[in-house]
Amino acid sequence: MVTVGALVGIALVALGLVLTPGPNMVYLVSRSVTQGRRAGLVSLLGVAVGFLVYLAAAVAGIATVFVLVPPLYTAVKLGGAAYLLWLAWRILRPGGRSAFTPAALPPDRPRRLFTMGLVTNLLNPKIAILYVSLLPQFVDPARGHVAVQSLLLGLTQIGIALTVNGLIVLTAGTVSAFLTRRPAWARAQRYVMGTVLAGLAVRIAVDRSRAAVATP
């Protein structure tokens, strides 16, 4: 039903997005460094549920709403771009901190860790645009039920995202220790992450593409 090309295509898109710094990466790294791997994995569970919410919406055809109401899609994009710019400013401003820099954060209980992971992912502009605009482009109505294709493509994206994010959670402490011993590397990492976040925000803000939806 879903072509190999479509699966490979969505896999490459998912890999590119998860490797690009964003709200999910910033939160998972920060929580893993400050509270340990277990806290990071609980947070990742919340992120996973956020992916499932987006997937359920895609399968149900909720993206059609954004097609019918373009201003709503524009508002989502601009809001997400503003959020990414805020994250970039926190990192790049004088005295800003890298996501890998340990901070004196109070430990959160598992329920709050899960909730924050869920909310962070639901408000992630990269994921919203992925499910609203990109994923439907890999669906071919001529090859069968649109909802089933969306489900398979979405599960592929989720599998890749969780695998990469899981590796980030497990290695965040090691990376943090490495950067702590090497201030020059830490500064470089901070500027690279902040610049990528700002660039992604600008790209999302100026993108003139519209929401897409596959119609049977």
Side-chain angles (χ1 to χ4, degrees):
M1 181 174 292
V2 179
T3 66
V4 174
L7 290 174
V8 172
I10 196 67
L12 291 176
V13 170
L15 184 61
L17 286 178
V18 75
L19 290 176
T20 303
N24 285 348
M25 181 184 291
V26 171
Y27 177 70
L28 291 174
V29 168
S30 300
R31 186 48 64 184
S32 299
V33 170
T34 58
Q35 198 171 336
R37 292 176 178 175
R38 183 176 180 274
L41 291 174
V42 174
S43 301
L44 180 57
L45 182 60
V47 170
V49 174
F51 281 130
L52 293 176
V53 171
Y54 272 114
L55 178 56
V59 171
I62 300 300
T64 307
V65 175
F66 292 94
V67 176
L68 297 176
V69 189
L72 181 59
Y73 181 58
T74 300
V76 169
K77 288 202 302 180
L78 294 179
Y83 182 43
L84 289 177
L85 279 176
W86 178 72
L87 289 176
W89 168 245
R90 288 187 61 190
I91 293 173
L92 292 174
R93 67 183 178 182
R97 304 171 68 92
S98 165
F100 289 95
T101 301
L105 294 178
D108 285 336
R109 294 181 179 274
R111 178 179 296 181
R112 179 170 173 79
L113 292 170
F114 174 87
T115 302
M116 287 303 298
L118 171 62
V119 172
T120 298
N121 198 21
L122 290 178
L123 297 179
N124 188 341
K126 294 195 304 178
I127 307 305
I129 290 174
L130 168 66
Y131 277 90
V132 171
S133 186
L134 297 179
L135 186 142
Q137 297 180 26
F138 293 94
V139 175
D140 183 1
R143 299 190 65 86
H145 203 287
V146 169
V148 175
Q149 292 185 61
S150 298
L151 178 64
L152 294 176
L153 292 169
L155 289 175
T156 300
Q157 178 270 326
I158 291 173
I160 291 174
L162 294 183
T163 298
V164 175
N165 280 320
L167 292 174
I168 289 174
V169 167
L170 295 176
T171 59
T174 301
V175 174
S176 174
F178 174 86
L179 295 176
T180 299
R181 295 192 299 268
R182 296 167 176 82
W185 281 77
R187 286 194 298 272
Q189 185 275 333
R190 181 164 65 90
Y191 288 128
V192 168
M193 177 173 281
T195 301
V196 170
L197 282 172
L200 183 61
V202 173
R203 182 175 180 180
I204 290 175
V206 302
D207 181 23
R208 296 181 178 273
S209 64
R210 298 183 177 182
V213 62
T215 55

